[in-house]
Amino acid sequence: MYKVLITGAGSYVGESVRKYILATSSDFEIDAVDTFEDHWKQADFSKYDVVYHVAGIAHVNADPKMEPLYYKVNRDLTIEIAKYAKAAGVKQFIFMSSMIVFHESQSLKTEMLTVDTKPNPNGFYGDSKLQAENGLHELESPLFKVCILRPPMIYGPNSKGNFLRLGWLATKTPIFPLWHNKRSMLYIDNLAEFVKQAILRGLSGTFYPQNQELADTVDIVRFFAKKYNHKIWFSKFFNPFVWMGSFFLQPLNKMFASYYYDPEMSKMDFDYQLVGQDKSFEGLEVTEANRHM
């Protein structure tokens, strides 16, 4: 029996992974603890084999005033909890880092990240995650395995973020640029399967889980438009406006840049990419609330 503690109770990723693993295996006991106001210190870490740390501030606010808080939560809290876990005899610490430790795409230039690409964050969110990784490496030992995950954008039913916001846009706009691109994404069930396998196999090191297929913004918009019977005119006529606008509007770079992991660096000796892209889209619903996510 694998006893797992998720630090970050109520988080979308933590709760989704917990439900998935318990539904697909009887070999796990999983608890979750809140990290607000040091509530996690009330948990008895000595009961657990694994800590899955998902608590953190997501990349939603680039306000410079938020910078100290990002480092306090994403870096300092992570390292503090890891030290606590190690002292309690926890055998494996799984940390949810991010693809953004390499950098955030800020142009339409095509970028394929490989195993040789060095992290070079261009914002305090990515830097806070990278510094947390560095602190964890200093703690790892044969008796305390550190498993770092650098996923791309995670999506799934009721997820927050830009993906379902794009789905909402697909149900409203009458036109859309025919600007094809490549993006790494990760469906929540595929992430959950990866985490389950990481625990079963006692993995340590840095990993880059993603879907088997690379995503294309045009295909995503086309899928949701068709799903909701909304007609859109796709045309390359608008592509020059995308290119020109990308120099002034960062959201255009996020939407249309080709920025992805080399698929080879995400392959493992176990199958975790269980849900294909089209299948993963089928269970997603967009509502007016997604407009503001």
Side-chain angles (χ1 to χ4, degrees), residues 5 40-48 84 88:
L5 178 65
W40 58 273
K41 291 183 178 179
Q42 300 173 17
D44 182 4
F45 278 56
S46 66
K47 299 191 304 182
Y48 301 100
Y84 196 86

Side-chain angles (χ1 to χ4, degrees), residues 1-7 26-31 43-53 81-82 84-95 141-147 195-196 198-204:
M1 184 67 67
Y2 296 87
K3 296 183 178 180
V4 181
L5 178 65
I6 296 175
T7 47
S26 59
D27 296 329
F28 290 81
E29 290 182 5
I30 305 178
D31 297 323
D44 182 4
F45 278 56
S46 66
K47 299 191 304 182
Y48 301 100
D49 306 300
V50 180
V51 168
Y52 178 37
H53 184 64
I81 291 176
Y84 196 86
K86 182 178 181 178
V90 171
K91 300 178 181 66
Q92 184 187 34
F93 190 89
I94 302 176
F95 174 54
S141 72
L143 297 180
F144 187 69
K145 296 180 178 180
V146 172
C147 178
V195 172
K196 182 173 76 172
I199 295 171
L200 291 173
R201 297 163 188 267
L203 295 184
S204 61

Side-chain angles (χ1 to χ4, degrees), residues 156-266:
N158 302 313
S159 60
K160 296 181 179 180
N162 289 328
F163 180 75
L164 290 182
R165 191 177 183 183
L166 180 63
W168 172 86
L169 178 64
T171 68
K172 302 298 180 181
T173 183
I175 58 175
F176 200 81
L178 193 63
W179 185 292
H180 291 286
N181 62 350
K182 296 179 180 179
R183 303 289 294 196
S184 290
M185 296 188 355
L186 181 60
Y187 183 56
I188 188 64
D189 284 3
N190 291 339
L191 168 63
E193 180 64 26
F194 191 101
V195 172
K196 182 173 76 172
Q197 294 296 331
I199 295 171
L200 291 173
R201 297 163 188 267
L203 295 184
S204 61
T206 303
F207 303 93
Y208 313 89
Q210 66 174 325
N211 289 348
Q212 188 172 27
E213 309 96 326
L214 295 174
D216 181 334
T217 298
V218 171
D219 291 342
I220 293 171
V221 170
R222 183 177 282 124
F223 176 90
F224 282 105
K226 182 178 180 181
K227 178 184 175 86
Y228 289 94
N229 298 313
H230 178 68
K231 292 184 178 181
I232 295 182
W233 177 39
F234 294 91
S235 176
K236 292 183 179 179
F237 174 81
F238 307 107
N239 288 6
F241 298 100
V242 173
W243 180 78
M244 288 187 292
S246 68
F247 293 97
F248 310 100
L249 301 173
Q250 177 60 14
L252 288 178
N253 294 317
K254 290 184 178 181
M255 185 180 297
F256 293 108
S258 286
Y259 185 65
Y260 59 100
Y261 283 136
D262 176 359
E264 290 297 317
M265 68 195 293
S266 301

